[in-house]
Every structure is written in C-alpha cells, then in structure tokens.
Amino acid sequence: LFAGIGYAGYGIWLDRHPAPQQQPDPNKKTLVVLGTGWGSVSLLKKLDTENYNVIVISPRNFFLFTPLLPSCTTGTIEHRSIMEPIRAILSRKKTSVQFFEAEASSIDPDRKVVKIFDDSEIKGKISETEVPYDMLVVGVGSETATFGIQGVNEHSCFLKEIGDAQRIRKKIMDCVETAAFKDQSPEEIDRLLHMVVVGGGPTGVEFAAELQDFFEEDIKNLIPEFSHHFHVTLIEALPNVLPSFSKQLIEYTESTLKEQTIDIKTKTVVKKVTDRTVEAQCSLPSGSKETIVLTYGLLVWAAGNAVRPLVKDLMSKIPAQKDSRRGLAVNEYLVVQGTRDVWALGDCAVAGYAPTAQVAAQEGAFLAKLFNNMAKTESVEEEIQNLSSSLNVKPGVNAAETSQTIEQLEQQLKRVRDAKPFHYSHQGSLAYIGSEKAVADVSWWNGNIAAGGKLTYLFWRSAYLSMCFSTRNRFLVINDWLKSKTFGRDVSR
Ligand code: NAD
C-alpha cells in the first residue's frame, strides 16, 4: 500500500515538475515520431530517449484510450477520464523529448523532412515549418471510411476522436429536446428519436448498445412519454455483426441486441445520406434487392478505416508502395518498404494484422526495443573500434585481455543484430453489447475461450481498467462508473 501511494505520489510530482527541454545533441540522431495514438505512445513509453534527439509531432496533445470512447457518447464516462496529456507522459522520460502540437502535411523521404503546420485556433507568427529527421516513425492512424458515399461527410457523426464523442453526446440530447418541443407531431418525434448506426463492427455495436442503455436507464425515466418513440437501428453490409468474432458470439450478440429492441439490418448497404434520410439497399433471401429509406434524428457512421491523405501522399512518393492500397506496406521489422529510415506502425501500416489498438501497442513496444538495440549496437561498434586501434598502436596494453573483451563485445553485437522480427501475439477481443453484457474471444494457452454475458462484462470492465494509461485515468474511470450508476448519466447538453 505504502509503495503504491509512494509511486502514485512520485508520478504526480513528476507530472507537475517536468524536466526542462534541452537543446538537441548534435552527436545523436534525430528520431521524429508522428502521432500520439496507441502505436506511438507505446513506443515512447519503452524507448530509451537518451539515445536519440526525440521529437514528437501530433495535432492531439494527449493519448486517448479509445476502447472506452463509445461510453463517452452517452456520458457513462467523462471524456477527460480517458485522456492522458502527452506532456505528462513525456515528462516521465529520463531525457527531455520535444513535442510540437501540429499536423504533418507532407513527408519528403528524399530530403528527410516533415512539413508541419499549426492547426489550432490561436496561431503565432510561425504556423508552418519543416522538421528534419534521421529516423522517422509514422504512427498517424487512419480516418473513417466513407467510400465516397453521397452525404456521409456532411450529415453523419464519426466515432474516432474525443471531439466526435462530444458531438454525438450533444446531438443525442438535441434530438431529445427537439422531440420534446411543444406541438411536435408524432411522426417528427419518431424521426428525431430514431438513431441510425452504420457499421456492425465493434465500434458500431458498442455505440448502439451504449445508446440503448442511455435511453433505458436515464432518458426513459426523465421523459416517460418517449418510451414508444425511441429507436436504434444498426445497419451492416455483411450477413452478420461483429464478423471478426466466433459464430457462437455473433449469434449471442445479435440475440442480445434484439432483446434490447435494437433493430439489426444485415446484408444492407447504405448508398446515400441526406440531412434527414438514409437510403440503403437490402439483399433479400430470394436474391433480389430492395431499396429502403429510413428517416433519422442522429446518424453515426462507423463503417471502418481509410488511409489518411498524409499517408497516401507519402505512398505516392515511394515506388515500392505503388501496389499497397490500405496503408504503408512494411517489412517484418516495420520498416516502410522502399525506405531505410522510415518505420510505420498502427492503423496506417500494413503488416498483415487487423487495425486494432492491441496490434499497434505491440508494434510500438517492438520498435522501442529495436531502436534501443540499434543505439546499443552503435556504441558497442564504437567500443570495439577503439579497443582494436589501442591494440595496434599502444604497446603497453594487455593484448590477451583486450582481445577477449573484443570477442565478448562481438558476441554481444551478434545477439543484438540477430533481433527477431515483429510477431503479434493475439490476446483476444472484447466488446460491450449492452444491458451490462459483453462478449469475449480470449486466447488461452493454445486455444480460445468464447464467453458472453454479465460475468464477461465484469471481465470487460477489469480488462479495460487494467489497460488504462495511468493510475489517474483508472481512478477517474471507476469514479465515472460509480457516478453514472448512482446518480444516472448527466443529460445536460
Ligand atoms: P470495422 O471495419 O470493424 O467495421 C465496419 C463495418 O461497416 C464492416 O463490417 C462493414 O461491412 C460495414 N460497412 C461498411 N460500409 C458500409 C455501408 N455502406 N453500409 C453498411 N455497412 C457498411 O470498423 P470498426 O468497428 O470501426 O473497427 C475498426 C477496427 O478497430 C477493426 O479492426 C476492429 O476490430 C477494431 N476495433 C476493435 C474494438 C474491440 O475489440 N472492442 C473496438 C473498436 C474497434
């Protein structure tokens, strides 16, 4: 207990007393890290920053614990509880790391520079500049895929960033309060309280579940006359929701969602969106297609990932990337194909794994080890060179002893150089499916355990709690859970 309190106290002290930023050391290589998501932050956590001049660039000056983002849309969790300031994270490193809150607009792999601009509201005299690098890590993630479908960008809400969750939270209550406006017709109340979610992946399912909970546990009690009007529809192009989970869990999820009166429309592809309607094409069992038009109050678009313009631009500059479509093709050491000094990780890299937080975190930890070893290699090489030259020119040195040291160092070097390529170890997948139930496909020894229900929900909670970035985050999340359970969610807009 005392150790825990001491550790937490030390963490708080460090957060409040960050090390002063130092000037870059001209004898060290400059390592530029783009992004502050799962991949980049996992790399920064384990990187020995004293080996490099480390510069972090991201338009977001915090790390976001994305697995709990759907809970922020309804106020089950407050947004700041799942944010960790990047400056606090960096201040815990031994050597100071530079951070620029900026968006990278282009990368020039020939000149080895990243062009950045200040995207924030307040701008100084300089709001655009270039950052040179010796080594570059691209961890900028992905954006929401719209597939160029008409109206999606203009009328729907995405669910990727904290701002998206805040916007959704505001819009839910806007729909509710507008539906409660005097003399609103029943048809208009139905439309305003119809919440449509497109995409039956984990993001869409978790959001639909949180939304239905919010209605059942809070809105319904406050505005009972809305009981028969509120309605969530989940649209998925494939035959099932959560396609990456086992068949048994898919069936369990679909039956649980239906029990909660969520309408699931599978084999249905959204083709067009307007400010009030969603047009979709359903495949009927007969093989024919039917077009349906749904009116909505809130539309949340969670139809998967697309490549960011910065990544597309970099890919177009590297001939070896011409056949890659879903992001930067990397080799087994996460080096971007066609380059020697650019690495990519997370959702913007194509390494043969699903674009999940788990993959990105493991890639970040792998790169940190790789970079730590690379720095070690250079220093050992230097030492061997010094010892070898002293052996040749200094008559007084003990030749046998020095040769033995050189041999030991060479063996050490070999071990470092024989570093194993990246290997992803899948721990399992979890998803919240509403009314305090969750599903889990967890790897156990050499097999898999599939479970669903209330106990799995407790497991889901404890797993996410243990994965939270800091003690502070954990404390805030527990507090939010207790608060929303005891007093209900905050329905103010
Ligand atoms: P996803 O790619 O998993 O799912 C998107 C779904 O949208 C797909 O099933 C697709 O068929 C459907 N879709 C696309 N266009 C459509 C259209 N026009 N009409 C109807 N449906 C359409 O996306 P996601 O849920 O955002 O997840 C992205 C990645 O992050 C995935 O790899 C996922 O596993 C991971 N993730 C995992 C978790 C978790 O494990 N709890 C949570 C969130 C995200």
Side-chain angles (χ1 to χ4, degrees):
L1 178 72
F2 286 124
I5 294 170
Y7 181 73
Y10 180 60
I12 293 165
W13 185 86
L14 274 183
D15 277 0
R16 299 180 55 135
H17 302 86
Q21 293 225 336
Q22 287 159 9
Q23 286 304 310
D25 182 340
N27 299 317
K28 290 179 189 171
K29 282 187 175 164
T30 298
L31 168 63
V32 173
V33 180
L34 301 183
T36 46
W38 281 94
S40 302
V41 167
S42 156
L43 156 72
L44 291 164
K45 232 171 138 181
K46 298 228 160 96
L47 182 75
D48 293 337
T49 46
E50 55 272 32
N51 296 325
Y52 303 97
N53 296 314
V54 184
I55 301 174
V56 181
I57 299 165
S58 173
R60 199 173 82 184
N61 80 344
F62 56 89
F63 167 74
L64 179 64
F65 186 72
T66 46
L68 290 177
L69 192 59
S71 302
C72 286
T73 60
T74 57
T76 312
I77 284 178
E78 293 298 336
H79 64 278
R80 289 207 176 258
S81 306
I82 55 165
M83 291 158 69
E84 183 71 11
I86 191 71
R87 291 195 181 271
I89 297 171
L90 298 178
S91 71
R92 290 174 200 135
K93 304 303 295 182
K94 265 195 215 145
T95 320
S96 78
V97 172
Q98 273 192 304
F99 172 72
F100 300 129
E101 191 190 74
E103 181 139 358
S105 54
S106 71
I107 297 164
D108 187 334
D110 298 324
R111 286 174 54 230
K112 293 174 80 166
V113 292
V114 181
K115 207 179 216 178
I116 63 166
F117 69 97
D118 180 0
D119 192 24
S120 60
E121 251 173 59
I122 297 171
K123 298 208 171 31
K125 269 195 180 155
I126 292 179
S127 59
E128 204 174 343
T129 185
E130 286 186 344
V131 180
Y133 66 83
D134 296 307
M135 296 157 74
L136 175 70
V137 176
V138 186
V140 296
S142 56
E143 56 183 31
T144 303
T146 63
F147 308 102
I149 296 169
Q150 193 186 331
V152 174
N153 264 322
E154 298 86 331
H155 306 297
S156 58
C157 296
F158 299 146
L159 186 46
K160 249 199 189 303
E161 299 292 338
I162 207 73
D164 298 334
Q166 288 172 300
R167 193 165 158 235
I168 292 173
R169 188 171 173 184
K170 250 182 135 176
K171 268 196 126 174
I172 296 169
M173 286 321 295
D174 199 359
C175 286
V176 170
E177 297 300 357
T178 310
F181 195 78
K182 189 170 179 302
D183 300 335
Q184 209 69 271
S185 71
E187 296 76 43
E188 187 62 350
I189 296 175
D190 278 338
R191 179 187 75 81
L192 287 162
L193 297 182
H194 186 203
M195 316 269 152
V196 175
V197 184
V198 181
T203 308
V205 167
E206 290 192 320
F207 170 67
E210 292 277 355
L211 194 53
Q212 190 68 39
D213 281 359
F214 184 31
F215 180 70
E216 293 297 333
E217 292 163 17
D218 299 288
I219 300 175
K220 212 163 128 179
N221 297 333
L222 297 169
I223 320 176
E225 58 271 31
F226 281 173
S227 291
H228 301 295
H229 293 282
F230 190 88
H231 189 195
V232 178
T233 300
L234 178 63
I235 302 180
E236 167 55 51
L238 297 175
N240 300 102
V241 300
L242 293 188
S244 60
F245 283 65
S246 63
K247 193 167 170 279
Q248 176 197 350
L249 289 182
I250 290 174
E251 281 168 11
Y252 179 72
T253 303
E254 290 187 348
S255 71
T256 308
L257 294 179
K258 279 178 192 158
E259 258 169 44
Q260 296 163 45
T261 68
I262 294 176
D263 188 10
I264 308 174
K265 290 193 186 309
T266 49
K267 293 190 189 167
T268 305
V269 185
V270 172
K271 298 281 185 189
K272 191 180 159 190
V273 168
T274 70
D275 61 343
R276 284 165 181 242
T277 62
V278 172
E279 193 180 306
Q281 202 172 56
C282 319
S283 303
L284 300 175
S286 61
S288 59
K289 304 230 188 272
E290 185 192 34
T291 299
I292 54 166
V293 179
L294 305 170
T295 57
Y296 70 85
L298 170 76
L299 173 66
V300 172
W301 190 267
N305 295 342
V307 183
R308 284 197 190 278
L310 170 77
V311 175
K312 267 191 211 156
D313 177 63
L314 176 61
M315 286 161 71
S316 71
K317 290 172 183 162
I318 306 169
Q321 295 286 329
K322 81 173 192 319
D323 294 328
S324 186
R325 292 282 165 273
R326 294 200 338 266
L328 288 160
V330 293
N331 72 9
E332 67 272 36
Y333 292 91
L334 306 182
V335 178
V336 173
Q337 307 269 17
T339 70
R340 290 174 66 88
D341 34 36
V342 184
W343 288 259
L345 81 184
D347 289 5
C348 67
V350 180
Y353 305 104
T356 66
Q358 221 179 118
V359 171
Q362 289 184 27
E363 287 176 341
F366 168 84
L367 271 194
K369 200 169 158 202
L370 188 81
F371 293 163
N372 294 345
N373 280 344
M374 277 164 65
K376 230 184 265 169
T377 320
E378 276 169 29
S379 70
V380 174
E381 272 172 351
E382 220 170 275
E383 208 177 325
I384 292 177
Q385 211 166 12
N386 289 345
L387 284 172
S388 309
S389 43
S390 72
L391 203 60
N392 297 335
V393 295
K394 290 186 189 159
V397 293
N398 182 335
E401 211 174 281
T402 310
S403 304
Q404 201 186 348
T405 314
I406 291 176
E407 208 173 298
Q408 279 167 357
L409 287 172
E410 272 170 351
Q411 271 171 8
Q412 195 183 331
L413 204 57
K414 188 173 175 308
R415 277 200 299 278
V416 173
R417 278 188 182 141
D418 287 348
K420 289 199 176 76
F422 174 69
H423 172 73
Y424 170 61
S425 143
H426 186 61
Q427 310 291 305
S429 311
L430 293 166
Y432 180 60
I433 58 168
S435 45
E436 303 200 333
K437 289 179 185 162
V439 286
D441 246 338
V442 185
S443 309
W444 189 259
W445 295 106
N446 283 336
N448 243 36
I449 293 181
K454 300 228 178 225
L455 262 181
T456 314
Y457 172 62
L458 291 181
F459 174 69
W460 176 90
R461 275 197 162 181
S462 54
Y464 280 178
L465 208 53
S466 71
M467 283 159 64
C468 275
F469 190 86
S470 62
T471 313
R472 187 185 70 98
N473 284 157
R474 248 168 246 134
F475 173 79
L476 292 173
V477 167
I478 293 174
N479 189 42
D480 290 343
W481 278 335
L482 287 174
K483 199 174 67 182
S484 51
K485 188 82 192 160
T486 317
F487 304 107
R489 297 167 182 86
D490 182 347
V491 294
S492 49
R493 196 151 76 87

